Amino acid sequence: MIEFTLDVNPPTGTHQSALRVLKNRKTGKQFVGKMKSSKGRKIQNMFWSLLQPYRPQEPLQGPLQLQVCYVYPWRKSEPKKNQSSGWLWKTTKPDASNMVKTLEDCMTDLNFWEDDNQITQLLVEKAWGDRVGIRIKVVELTPAQPPRWYKTEGTMT
C-alpha cells in the first residue's frame, strides 16, 4: 500500500481541457496532443515533480485500487456556516471523472504500476475544505478478491 498527500492547491484543469488538435510539421497530418505551453502540460509537469518522492522501488503488480481526494481551498463567497464542518462536497467543475486522468498517467510514467489498466477500483472525491491538497492511496488487491458488490453464490467463491 502507498499512501501520501500532495500539499498543493489541486488543479482546475483536466486532461481533456489540455488536448488540442495539432499538426505534424513534417507530414502535415493532424493528431490530438498537448502543446508544450498548455495548461495541461504544466499540470503534468507539476504532478511529475510532486510524485517523484513517493514512487515505489518496483512497480506495483496485479489489480490495484486507486483512491484520490482533491480538497480545494474555500471560495471567498462560501458562507461561514458551510465552512463550520471543515469540508463540503464540491459540486462544481471540473468533473471528478475527468480530474484523475492526468494524475493516473503521470503515476504510470513514474512506474507506480506497470500499466494503468491494473487499476480495477477507482474512487475519486472532490471537496472544499480546510486541509487543502490531493490525498492519494494505492492498495494492492488480491487477484481472487471479488468486487464488493459481487455476491459469492453458487460455484463462484
Side-chain angles (χ1 to χ4, degrees), residues 144 146-147 150-157:
Y150 194 82
K151 294 186 182 204
T152 54
E153 296 175 356
T155 58
M156 302 295 283
T157 56

Side-chain angles (χ1 to χ4, degrees), residues 129-144:
D130 295 336
R131 297 186 310 180
V132 174
I134 304 171
R135 289 155 187 77
I136 299 169
K137 184 176 181 180
V138 183
V139 179
E140 293 179 275
L141 301 172
T142 60

